[in-house]
Amino acid sequence: MTSQDTLRKEGEPPEEPGMRRSMESQGDGLQAGLKNRHLSMIAIGGVIGAGLFVGSASGIRAAGPAILVSYALVGTMVVLVMRMLGEMAAAHPTSGSFSEYADRGLGRWAGFSIGWLYWFFWVVVLAVEATAGAVILEGWIPAVPQWAWALIVMVVLTATNLASVGSYGEFEFWFAGIKVVAIGAFIVIGLLAVFGLLPGSDNPGSGFAHLSDAGGFFPEGYGAILTGVLMVVFSFMGSEIVTLAAGESADPQRAVTKATNSVIWRIAFFYLGSIFVVLTLLPWNDPSITEDGSYVAALNSIGIPHAGEIMNVIVLTAVLSCLNSGLYTASRMAFSLGRRGDAPGSFARTDARGVPRTAILASVLFGFVAVFFNYRWPDTVFAFLLNSSGAVALFVWLVICCTQLRMRGIIEREAPERLVVRMWLFPWLTWATIGMIVFVLVYMLFDDTGREQVLLSLLVAAVVVTIALLRGDRRGSATPPPPAR
């Protein structure tokens, strides 16, 4: 009996060839082109998005030093979700990751729905990040218009992804490496300045005094913690990318296990560590945090020359990394949907290098269209796209939790030796995480800034789920697409 047979739901008829092939991580047309160092850096850098650099100032302004609690709460939620996803991905690495697990654990409607919602989320992100990168580049070379920079960035990274999965991994290795080194240096230099140990620093080196000297640790009240949660939750999206990428590595189980076990220190160091440094270098209500951005303000307080330009380089790197990974992630989800008959069969075809060319081009085409909407109708069409994908991250995490509740029993019953990663205190922590995510979604409905995102995201989700249910069970007769020549 094969490993695919052992994971078949109890009572299910034997899978058709197309269904079996769709659940294989190797031999499905993709190639194991990602090296261990690629996977390691993707795992480390996956939690560091541009949102950490550009979005933290608003969170600090809303909650003060208590934003650390907000980051800790969201970080804990992400750690638990990643543990659940790691359990399933280590047992069965596949390019469709949680979408394929939802397909088996909750039903085909669930795999279809969350797969397309996740694809939608990332193709909208492509437009957001391309525009953000174009703004920085236009500031450096104003002779080239912003739309042209967005086009150039998208074309270059599309070419990278079309070349081979190894080229994606290599680009991401260096992009993520720059982010990791930059934040590591920021934390070390910042802490030296905090304690007055940095030679030539302009910062008074007041230790931890700034955590409470401007109205206390909760200057805006305890409720501001939840407001901060809403502001920071989406900057954590991307942690799950390594579970998709693992399907194209030589040892996917090892890669997933390593990434899952290290997620705690990654979040603690990069998110909590860097925000902690900002809050100890400056009072939370210092106007420069809002005017210049939290990291630039912190570097300026130390006396680092050209802090703004340095941060622009780092933010641009984060933007390019997010674009690179976003295109990779969207295309692999489209590929997986194509393998399962939930997308056009051409999405599942790969070329001689194991690259799903059509899936990549379809994803980037929608990204180009979204960029056009951002320039042509930024306050109407693009605002709708942005808001309607805003809560998808929480939907994805919720589906991962619900899927793990079902998949744990299936794996324990039929392939217990594959449980090399286990969710802690199952099922109690799984249910607690579900409760946390639902609470955040409900709280967003009562928040002026979050209400529109939740309602529009729910509307789009309802449309996709309806389509999934109307399609019915039609994939059993699907045959795998012919290999590309």
Side-chain angles (χ1 to χ4, degrees), residues 407-426:
M407 288 298 293
R408 165 63 80 89
I410 294 172
I411 300 171
E412 278 187 332
R413 198 165 52 242
E414 300 176 350
E417 71 280 358
R418 288 173 167 252
L419 280 173
V420 295
V421 175
R422 288 177 176 266
M423 176 59 184
W424 306 299
L425 298 178
F426 178 84

Side-chain angles (χ1 to χ4, degrees), residues 126 129-130 151-163 167-168 171-172 175 316 319-328 360 364:
L126 291 181
E129 300 297 338
L151 179 65
I152 291 170
V153 167
M154 292 278 277
V155 168
V156 169
L157 293 179
T158 300
T160 299
N161 276 266
L162 286 173
S167 63
Y168 154 73
F171 268 72
E172 191 57 24
F175 285 153
L316 179 62
V319 164
L320 294 176
S321 172
C322 191
L323 262 173
N324 195 38
S325 289
L327 181 52
Y328 171 84
I360 291 174
V364 80

Side-chain angles (χ1 to χ4, degrees), residues 19-40:
M19 285 298 295
R20 173 170 298 183
R21 286 189 60 182
S22 72
M23 291 297 289
E24 293 176 357
S25 59
Q26 302 298 332
D28 58 5
L30 300 177
Q31 295 182 3
L34 292 176
K35 300 176 182 178
N36 286 335
R37 65 182 178 88
H38 294 155
L39 267 296
S40 297

